[in-house]
Amino acid sequence: MKVHLVGGFLGSGKTTAITNSSRVLLNKGIKTSVITNDQGNYLVDTLFISQAEIGTEEVSGGCFCCNYDEFNSKIDTLKGDVNPDVIFAETVGSCTDLIATVLKPLLTYRDSDIEEVTFSSFVDSRLLLMHLLKIELPFSSETNYIWEKQVEEAEILVVNKFDLLSPEESITVKSEAKRIYPSKKLLFQNSLSSASVLDWINVLNQPGNAMEHNSIEVDYAIYGAGEANLAWLDEEIEFNGNDNTILKIVSDFIDNLSNTIIAEELPIGHLKFLLTHSNTSHKISFTTLAEKNRQGFDTVGEARTVHLIVNARIQSSPEKLRQLVVDEINRLNSVGSITIQEKCVSCFSPGFPNPTHRIA
Ligand SMILES: Nc1nc2c(ncn2[C@@H]2O[C@H](COP(=O)(O)OP(=O)(O)O)[C@@H](O)[C@H]2O)c(=O)[nH]1
Ligand SMILES: [Mg+2]
């Protein structure tokens, strides 16, 4: 069994790449499963991946590093259920120090059944371009520290969303990244394309990979502050209505909420929605740099009930983030043509990172 640990900042494209790569591997008859991870309890990513009919387990309520034993038991579960050849393990986008806290513990404590662990870190090529040009990233200095540590730690650095760069920007990113990171395996990828993820799969499959796993130095006080700065919101909202405008109303709710967050100048780590109606689901994502991906969602159609799962990581206080959602719901309630019910609301600032193991 091989484990491919996949890190990288919120919204950098980990789930997209894992989903497309898993499809490619499954089509080749290679048994592939995924373990997702986040600090909330209703994970858009888990539902998104499992809808692609890929076997998925999740570690929720905390990261792999701080919930290592649960992560380990999810590997056991997958082993008992499907005995996969390959497990992709997607880490929380605000985590770093993964070589010391996840990779090395796996190699140390599970050497009997895990033949190899690889470690890839994803980065949004537009944020990397800013970093290379010495333009400050849009987060607090502590959160920027996490982003920088994730790049520093990468063994395989996947420079993702490369399709969103202009030809000139692509040349700059490629040449500068090669110059600054000579010891990293660099990939310039568009994870939306199965052809493009093939190069990544080939790198992951290189036997032995001959990677030396070097833990990095991390200042946990700054790391903890950087995580805490990104409030987490997790909830399900049920919309009920009697006419065929409900999909448009939910779509407007999503747009209004994201526009308000942008207008308030609250940096977005990720803002993800899974919208389900009439047995179909759509993932709608907003990430740090304003691109929105609706994955084929059409606001025209019949629906009486729409379920919306919301996962947000926003640089804000939890109270403020929560209030923005409540204000938007109150605004819709005052119009009166639909009923809205919030379920399982959870909104918090993540706790201090306290890894189960740390092998320097
Ligand atoms: N254009 C483009 N969009 C991408 C790429 N990879 C991911 N995305 C989009 O970026 C958003 C965040 O992706 P996701 O996989 O959820 O990121 P994660 O938070 O790292 O798991 C989604 O809307 C994806 O469709 C890429 O290579 N190119
Ligand atoms: Mg993800």
Side-chain angles (χ1 to χ4, degrees):
M1 187 163 62
K2 282 188 181 180
V3 175
H4 299 310
L5 199 58
V6 183
F9 202 69
L10 306 155
S12 56
K14 303 177 290 298
T15 304
T16 307
I18 289 171
T19 308
N20 283 333
S21 302
S22 299
R23 283 200 187 106
V24 170
L25 293 174
L26 285 164
N27 283 340
K28 286 185 178 172
I30 298 169
K31 279 188 278 175
T32 307
S33 304
V34 179
I35 305 180
T36 56
N37 182 209
D38 228 317
Q39 280 151 337
N41 291 311
Y42 266 84
L43 306 190
V44 167
D45 282 356
T46 313
L47 289 163
F48 178 71
I49 295 174
S50 57
Q51 276 164 4
E53 296 184 357
I54 299 163
T56 312
E57 288 288 327
E58 73 181 17
V59 173
S60 58
C63 49
F64 292 155
C65 5
C66 301
N67 271 2
Y68 181 85
D69 292 339
E70 194 187 336
F71 173 51
N72 193 43
S73 77
K74 296 293 176 179
I75 298 177
D76 289 335
T77 306
L78 287 174
K79 200 177 161 192
D81 289 352
V82 282
N83 197 19
D85 305 306
V86 170
I87 297 176
F88 285 99
E90 176 180 344
T91 63
V92 172
S94 56
C95 277
T96 186
D97 203 21
L98 295 161
I99 292 179
T101 61
V102 184
L103 188 149
K104 285 188 177 174
L106 279 176
L107 290 176
T108 308
Y109 304 119
R110 280 204 83 120
D111 60 332
S112 57
D113 62 350
I114 294 184
E115 60 197 86
E116 195 180 336
V117 185
T118 69
F119 177 49
S120 305
S121 199
F122 276 61
V123 65
D124 184 322
S125 52
R126 297 163 303 165
L127 292 176
L128 183 64
L129 177 65
M130 289 172 72
H131 178 69
L132 294 170
L133 297 177
K134 306 211 178 333
I135 299 168
E136 202 174 327
L137 301 189
F139 303 102
S140 67
S141 62
E142 295 91 350
T143 304
N144 288 343
Y145 175 83
I146 297 176
W147 187 95
E148 284 169 17
K149 284 285 157 187
Q150 291 175 339
V151 174
E152 178 189 333
E153 183 173 38
E155 295 180 348
I156 301 163
L157 182 64
V158 181
V159 181
N160 196 39
K161 306 193 186 181
F162 207 59
D163 53 301
L164 297 180
L165 295 184
S166 69
E168 297 75 30
E169 290 170 336
S170 312
I171 292 168
T172 307
V173 167
K174 261 193 182 166
S175 61
E176 277 299 284
K178 283 180 183 161
R179 188 177 69 77
I180 294 176
Y181 311 118
S183 62
K184 295 187 194 302
K185 179 75 203 166
L186 295 171
L187 289 166
F188 302 91
Q189 187 163 301
N190 168 7
S191 295
L192 299 176
S193 142
S194 297
S196 181
V197 297
L198 273 180
D199 285 344
W200 183 44
I201 295 173
N202 288 337
V203 168
L204 298 179
N205 274 342
Q206 273 160 19
N209 236 309
M211 288 274 180
E212 216 186 298
H213 303 300
N214 294 317
S215 306
I216 55 167
E217 300 272 328
V218 175
D219 182 325
Y220 268 67
I222 305 178
Y223 173 20
E227 281 227 274
N229 285 344
L230 294 168
W232 170 264
L233 174 99
D234 176 17
E235 68 172 287
E236 186 179 341
I237 310 175
E238 187 179 311
F239 299 80
N240 280 291
N242 290 318
D243 58 31
N244 56 12
T245 58
I246 189 163
L247 288 175
K248 174 85 173 72
I249 291 172
V250 178
S251 171
D252 287 348
F253 169 82
I254 291 170
D255 286 344
N256 291 342
L257 182 60
S258 64
N259 287 338
T260 309
I261 289 170
I262 292 165
E264 295 269 341
E265 298 186 353
L266 302 175
I268 297 176
H270 68 221
L271 180 57
K272 294 186 276 200
F273 301 89
L274 194 80
L275 185 154
T276 306
H277 71 94
S278 327
N279 293 327
T280 57
S281 289
H282 303 273
K283 179 175 162 181
I284 298 165
S285 286
F286 300 80
T287 58
T288 311
L289 300 174
E291 102 272 36
K292 176 172 62 175
N293 197 328
R294 293 178 161 271
Q295 315 227 342
F297 173 57
D298 189 349
T299 57
V300 180
E302 290 270 337
R304 292 274 181 266
T305 302
V306 175
H307 292 271
L308 191 69
I309 295 180
V310 186
N311 288 175
R313 276 309 286 283
I314 309 287
Q315 188 172 300
S316 153
S317 69
E319 296 74 24
K320 174 151 193 178
L321 178 56
R322 172 85 189 111
Q323 193 56 48
L324 294 180
V325 176
V326 169
D327 289 348
E328 199 49 46
I329 288 176
N330 286 343
R331 209 184 57 76
L332 276 183
N333 269 331
S334 66
V335 178
S337 64
I338 55 168
T339 58
I340 303 170
Q341 202 189 352
E342 287 185 282
K343 298 175 183 173
C344 312
V345 179
S346 145
C347 190
F348 57 90
S349 174
F352 196 80
N354 184 16
T356 314
H357 304 284
R358 187 173 196 286
I359 304 177

